[in-house]
mmCIF file of all heavy atoms in Angstrom:
data_model
loop_
_atom_site.group_PDB
_atom_site.id
_atom_site.type_symbol
_atom_site.label_atom_id
_atom_site.label_comp_id
_atom_site.label_asym_id
_atom_site.label_seq_id
_atom_site.Cartn_x
_atom_site.Cartn_y
_atom_site.Cartn_z
ATOM 1 N N THR A 56 10.912 -17.184 -6.111
ATOM 2 C CA THR A 56 12.101 -16.420 -6.362
ATOM 3 C C THR A 56 11.804 -15.235 -7.281
ATOM 4 O O THR A 56 12.758 -14.786 -7.959
ATOM 5 C CB THR A 56 13.171 -17.355 -6.914
ATOM 6 O OG1 THR A 56 12.651 -17.842 -8.080
ATOM 7 C CG2 THR A 56 13.510 -18.366 -5.832
ATOM 8 N N ASP A 57 10.539 -14.774 -7.416
ATOM 9 C CA ASP A 57 10.239 -13.663 -8.229
ATOM 10 C C ASP A 57 9.630 -12.550 -7.526
ATOM 11 O O ASP A 57 8.677 -11.857 -8.220
ATOM 12 C CB ASP A 57 9.380 -14.134 -9.478
ATOM 13 C CG ASP A 57 8.042 -14.870 -9.028
ATOM 14 O OD1 ASP A 57 7.916 -15.203 -7.909
ATOM 15 O OD2 ASP A 57 7.210 -15.102 -10.003
ATOM 16 N N TRP A 58 9.895 -12.227 -6.378
ATOM 17 C CA TRP A 58 9.403 -11.112 -5.631
ATOM 18 C C TRP A 58 9.840 -9.824 -6.262
ATOM 19 O O TRP A 58 11.028 -9.800 -6.683
ATOM 20 C CB TRP A 58 9.726 -11.184 -4.111
ATOM 21 C CG TRP A 58 9.157 -12.460 -3.439
ATOM 22 C CD1 TRP A 58 9.876 -13.532 -3.195
ATOM 23 C CD2 TRP A 58 7.899 -12.499 -3.015
ATOM 24 N NE1 TRP A 58 8.926 -14.349 -2.537
ATOM 25 C CE2 TRP A 58 7.727 -13.796 -2.462
ATOM 26 C CE3 TRP A 58 6.779 -11.656 -3.016
ATOM 27 C CZ2 TRP A 58 6.491 -14.295 -1.856
ATOM 28 C CZ3 TRP A 58 5.555 -12.104 -2.455
ATOM 29 C CH2 TRP A 58 5.442 -13.414 -1.918
ATOM 30 N N ARG A 59 9.143 -8.772 -6.044
ATOM 31 C CA ARG A 59 9.519 -7.455 -6.524
ATOM 32 C C ARG A 59 8.815 -6.451 -5.641
ATOM 33 O O ARG A 59 7.921 -6.675 -4.835
ATOM 34 C CB ARG A 59 9.073 -7.266 -7.923
ATOM 35 C CG ARG A 59 7.683 -7.427 -8.382
ATOM 36 C CD ARG A 59 7.337 -7.312 -9.855
ATOM 37 N NE ARG A 59 5.936 -7.627 -10.013
ATOM 38 C CZ ARG A 59 4.926 -6.857 -9.754
ATOM 39 N NH1 ARG A 59 5.024 -5.733 -9.278
ATOM 40 N NH2 ARG A 59 3.746 -7.393 -10.013
ATOM 41 N N VAL A 60 9.163 -5.135 -5.700
ATOM 42 C CA VAL A 60 8.523 -4.076 -4.899
ATOM 43 C C VAL A 60 7.191 -3.656 -5.550
ATOM 44 O O VAL A 60 7.240 -3.494 -6.829
ATOM 45 C CB VAL A 60 9.544 -2.783 -4.888
ATOM 46 C CG1 VAL A 60 8.906 -1.835 -3.876
ATOM 47 C CG2 VAL A 60 10.901 -3.367 -4.223
ATOM 48 N N ALA A 61 6.211 -3.611 -4.841
ATOM 49 C CA ALA A 61 4.959 -3.226 -5.306
ATOM 50 C C ALA A 61 4.952 -1.730 -5.925
ATOM 51 O O ALA A 61 5.584 -0.964 -5.340
ATOM 52 C CB ALA A 61 3.825 -3.318 -4.233
ATOM 53 N N ASN A 62 4.209 -1.584 -7.055
ATOM 54 C CA ASN A 62 3.954 -0.228 -7.518
ATOM 55 C C ASN A 62 2.852 0.369 -6.760
ATOM 56 O O ASN A 62 2.160 -0.280 -6.147
ATOM 57 C CB ASN A 62 3.909 -0.227 -9.156
ATOM 58 C CG ASN A 62 2.607 -0.963 -9.578
ATOM 59 O OD1 ASN A 62 1.535 -0.761 -9.082
ATOM 60 N ND2 ASN A 62 2.839 -1.700 -10.691
ATOM 61 N N ILE A 63 2.629 1.684 -7.084
ATOM 62 C CA ILE A 63 1.559 2.400 -6.331
ATOM 63 C C ILE A 63 0.206 1.884 -6.611
ATOM 64 O O ILE A 63 -0.616 1.745 -5.685
ATOM 65 C CB ILE A 63 1.661 3.919 -6.649
ATOM 66 C CG1 ILE A 63 0.802 4.557 -5.630
ATOM 67 C CG2 ILE A 63 1.337 4.201 -7.982
ATOM 68 C CD1 ILE A 63 1.237 4.499 -4.168
ATOM 69 N N PHE A 64 -0.091 1.414 -7.822
ATOM 70 C CA PHE A 64 -1.450 0.929 -8.157
ATOM 71 C C PHE A 64 -1.767 -0.362 -7.445
ATOM 72 O O PHE A 64 -2.855 -0.708 -6.967
ATOM 73 C CB PHE A 64 -1.617 0.732 -9.656
ATOM 74 C CG PHE A 64 -1.404 2.002 -10.339
ATOM 75 C CD1 PHE A 64 -0.232 2.220 -11.048
ATOM 76 C CD2 PHE A 64 -2.315 3.168 -10.347
ATOM 77 C CE1 PHE A 64 0.076 3.438 -11.665
ATOM 78 C CE2 PHE A 64 -2.001 4.301 -10.878
ATOM 79 C CZ PHE A 64 -0.863 4.560 -11.634
ATOM 80 N N GLU A 65 -0.650 -1.281 -7.354
ATOM 81 C CA GLU A 65 -0.876 -2.508 -6.714
ATOM 82 C C GLU A 65 -0.887 -2.299 -5.087
ATOM 83 O O GLU A 65 -1.901 -2.873 -4.482
ATOM 84 C CB GLU A 65 0.370 -3.426 -6.886
ATOM 85 C CG GLU A 65 0.490 -3.851 -8.234
ATOM 86 C CD GLU A 65 1.794 -4.417 -8.663
ATOM 87 O OE1 GLU A 65 2.784 -3.991 -8.024
ATOM 88 O OE2 GLU A 65 1.953 -5.404 -9.553
ATOM 89 N N LEU A 66 -0.138 -1.335 -4.667
ATOM 90 C CA LEU A 66 -0.229 -1.060 -3.183
ATOM 91 C C LEU A 66 -1.684 -0.542 -2.756
ATOM 92 O O LEU A 66 -2.165 -0.879 -1.700
ATOM 93 C CB LEU A 66 0.838 -0.022 -2.816
ATOM 94 C CG LEU A 66 1.250 0.375 -1.452
ATOM 95 C CD1 LEU A 66 1.597 -1.086 -0.733
ATOM 96 C CD2 LEU A 66 2.234 1.342 -1.335
ATOM 97 N N LEU A 67 -2.241 0.172 -3.644
ATOM 98 C CA LEU A 67 -3.526 0.786 -3.260
ATOM 99 C C LEU A 67 -4.548 -0.373 -3.095
ATOM 100 O O LEU A 67 -5.606 -0.209 -2.369
ATOM 101 C CB LEU A 67 -4.052 1.692 -4.347
ATOM 102 C CG LEU A 67 -3.330 3.181 -4.323
ATOM 103 C CD1 LEU A 67 -3.654 3.935 -5.674
ATOM 104 C CD2 LEU A 67 -3.499 3.889 -3.029
ATOM 105 N N THR A 68 -4.335 -1.523 -3.809
ATOM 106 C CA THR A 68 -5.376 -2.631 -3.565
ATOM 107 C C THR A 68 -5.367 -3.297 -2.210
ATOM 108 O O THR A 68 -6.359 -4.045 -1.907
ATOM 109 C CB THR A 68 -5.144 -3.729 -4.719
ATOM 110 O OG1 THR A 68 -3.972 -4.419 -4.313
ATOM 111 C CG2 THR A 68 -5.155 -3.102 -6.055
ATOM 112 N N ILE A 69 -4.460 -3.016 -1.357
ATOM 113 C CA ILE A 69 -4.541 -3.610 -0.030
ATOM 114 C C ILE A 69 -4.943 -2.708 1.050
ATOM 115 O O ILE A 69 -4.713 -2.803 2.177
ATOM 116 C CB ILE A 69 -3.125 -4.361 0.339
ATOM 117 C CG1 ILE A 69 -2.023 -3.334 0.364
ATOM 118 C CG2 ILE A 69 -2.922 -5.406 -0.662
ATOM 119 C CD1 ILE A 69 -0.701 -4.005 0.865
ATOM 120 N N TYR A 70 -5.457 -1.533 0.680
ATOM 121 C CA TYR A 70 -6.036 -0.465 1.563
ATOM 122 C C TYR A 70 -7.588 -0.324 1.344
ATOM 123 O O TYR A 70 -8.010 -0.442 0.351
ATOM 124 C CB TYR A 70 -5.367 0.878 1.286
ATOM 125 C CG TYR A 70 -4.105 0.924 1.879
ATOM 126 C CD1 TYR A 70 -2.933 0.314 1.255
ATOM 127 C CD2 TYR A 70 -3.816 1.424 3.196
ATOM 128 C CE1 TYR A 70 -1.583 0.441 1.771
ATOM 129 C CE2 TYR A 70 -2.501 1.455 3.782
ATOM 130 C CZ TYR A 70 -1.466 0.897 3.007
ATOM 131 O OH TYR A 70 -0.228 0.969 3.578
ATOM 132 N N THR A 71 -8.272 -0.077 2.452
ATOM 133 C CA THR A 71 -9.727 0.034 2.385
ATOM 134 C C THR A 71 -10.254 1.276 1.937
ATOM 135 O O THR A 71 -11.425 1.335 1.246
ATOM 136 C CB THR A 71 -10.355 -0.272 3.826
ATOM 137 O OG1 THR A 71 -9.895 0.744 4.702
ATOM 138 C CG2 THR A 71 -10.042 -1.711 4.330
ATOM 139 N N TYR A 72 -9.579 2.406 2.139
ATOM 140 C CA TYR A 72 -9.899 3.742 1.770
ATOM 141 C C TYR A 72 -11.393 4.103 2.240
ATOM 142 O O TYR A 72 -12.297 4.553 1.462
ATOM 143 C CB TYR A 72 -9.715 4.043 0.318
ATOM 144 C CG TYR A 72 -8.362 4.557 0.005
ATOM 145 C CD1 TYR A 72 -7.338 3.816 -0.177
ATOM 146 C CD2 TYR A 72 -8.285 5.866 0.026
ATOM 147 C CE1 TYR A 72 -6.074 4.192 -0.328
ATOM 148 C CE2 TYR A 72 -6.922 6.456 -0.201
ATOM 149 C CZ TYR A 72 -5.834 5.684 -0.319
ATOM 150 O OH TYR A 72 -4.650 6.164 -0.527
ATOM 151 N N GLU A 73 -11.548 3.768 3.475
ATOM 152 C CA GLU A 73 -12.894 4.082 4.074
ATOM 153 C C GLU A 73 -12.615 5.013 5.303
ATOM 154 O O GLU A 73 -11.643 4.926 5.932
ATOM 155 C CB GLU A 73 -13.614 2.836 4.542
ATOM 156 C CG GLU A 73 -14.009 1.886 3.295
ATOM 157 C CD GLU A 73 -14.769 0.694 3.835
ATOM 158 O OE1 GLU A 73 -15.088 0.525 5.007
ATOM 159 O OE2 GLU A 73 -14.959 -0.201 2.872
ATOM 160 N N ALA A 74 -13.673 5.894 5.530
ATOM 161 C CA ALA A 74 -13.504 6.814 6.692
ATOM 162 C C ALA A 74 -13.212 6.149 7.923
ATOM 163 O O ALA A 74 -13.889 4.911 8.090
ATOM 164 C CB ALA A 74 -14.786 7.635 6.790
ATOM 165 N N PRO A 75 -12.470 6.571 8.844
ATOM 166 C CA PRO A 75 -11.850 7.864 8.763
ATOM 167 C C PRO A 75 -10.396 7.942 8.120
ATOM 168 O O PRO A 75 -9.805 8.947 8.249
ATOM 169 C CB PRO A 75 -11.741 8.086 10.412
ATOM 170 C CG PRO A 75 -11.440 6.711 10.922
ATOM 171 C CD PRO A 75 -12.215 5.800 10.040
ATOM 172 N N ASN A 76 -9.830 6.823 7.641
ATOM 173 C CA ASN A 76 -8.535 6.825 7.043
ATOM 174 C C ASN A 76 -8.335 5.828 6.083
ATOM 175 O O ASN A 76 -9.318 5.192 5.743
ATOM 176 C CB ASN A 76 -7.544 6.851 8.238
ATOM 177 C CG ASN A 76 -7.768 5.687 9.083
ATOM 178 O OD1 ASN A 76 -8.227 4.667 8.754
ATOM 179 N ND2 ASN A 76 -7.583 5.818 10.361
ATOM 180 N N ALA A 77 -7.103 5.667 5.692
ATOM 181 C CA ALA A 77 -6.764 4.603 4.577
ATOM 182 C C ALA A 77 -6.254 3.377 5.264
ATOM 183 O O ALA A 77 -5.214 2.841 4.750
ATOM 184 C CB ALA A 77 -5.779 5.257 3.623
ATOM 185 N N GLN A 78 -6.872 2.884 6.313
ATOM 186 C CA GLN A 78 -6.231 1.589 6.866
ATOM 187 C C GLN A 78 -6.183 0.568 5.938
ATOM 188 O O GLN A 78 -7.005 0.313 5.030
ATOM 189 C CB GLN A 78 -7.135 1.272 8.035
ATOM 190 C CG GLN A 78 -7.067 2.276 9.182
ATOM 191 C CD GLN A 78 -5.753 2.458 9.812
ATOM 192 O OE1 GLN A 78 -4.992 1.459 10.181
ATOM 193 N NE2 GLN A 78 -5.394 3.723 9.937
ATOM 194 N N GLY A 79 -5.154 -0.339 6.029
ATOM 195 C CA GLY A 79 -4.915 -1.449 5.232
ATOM 196 C C GLY A 79 -5.761 -2.704 5.802
ATOM 197 O O GLY A 79 -6.323 -2.502 6.880
ATOM 198 N N TYR A 80 -5.706 -3.727 5.062
ATOM 199 C CA TYR A 80 -6.435 -4.939 5.516
ATOM 200 C C TYR A 80 -5.521 -5.517 6.587
ATOM 201 O O TYR A 80 -4.600 -6.356 6.301
ATOM 202 C CB TYR A 80 -6.550 -5.841 4.347
ATOM 203 C CG TYR A 80 -7.650 -5.274 3.416
ATOM 204 C CD1 TYR A 80 -7.220 -4.711 2.188
ATOM 205 C CD2 TYR A 80 -8.949 -5.252 3.783
ATOM 206 C CE1 TYR A 80 -8.252 -4.274 1.350
ATOM 207 C CE2 TYR A 80 -9.978 -4.821 2.884
ATOM 208 C CZ TYR A 80 -9.469 -4.200 1.629
ATOM 209 O OH TYR A 80 -10.448 -3.687 0.768
#
Side-chain angles (χ1 to χ4, degrees):
T56 58
D57 59 346
W58 294 102
R59 58 186 172 75
V60 183
N62 66 46
I63 192 64
F64 304 105
E65 294 165 332
L66 193 56
L67 289 171
T68 68
I69 61 173
Y70 283 84
T71 61
Y72 269 87
E73 295 178 7
N76 49 37
Q78 293 297 311
Y80 293 104

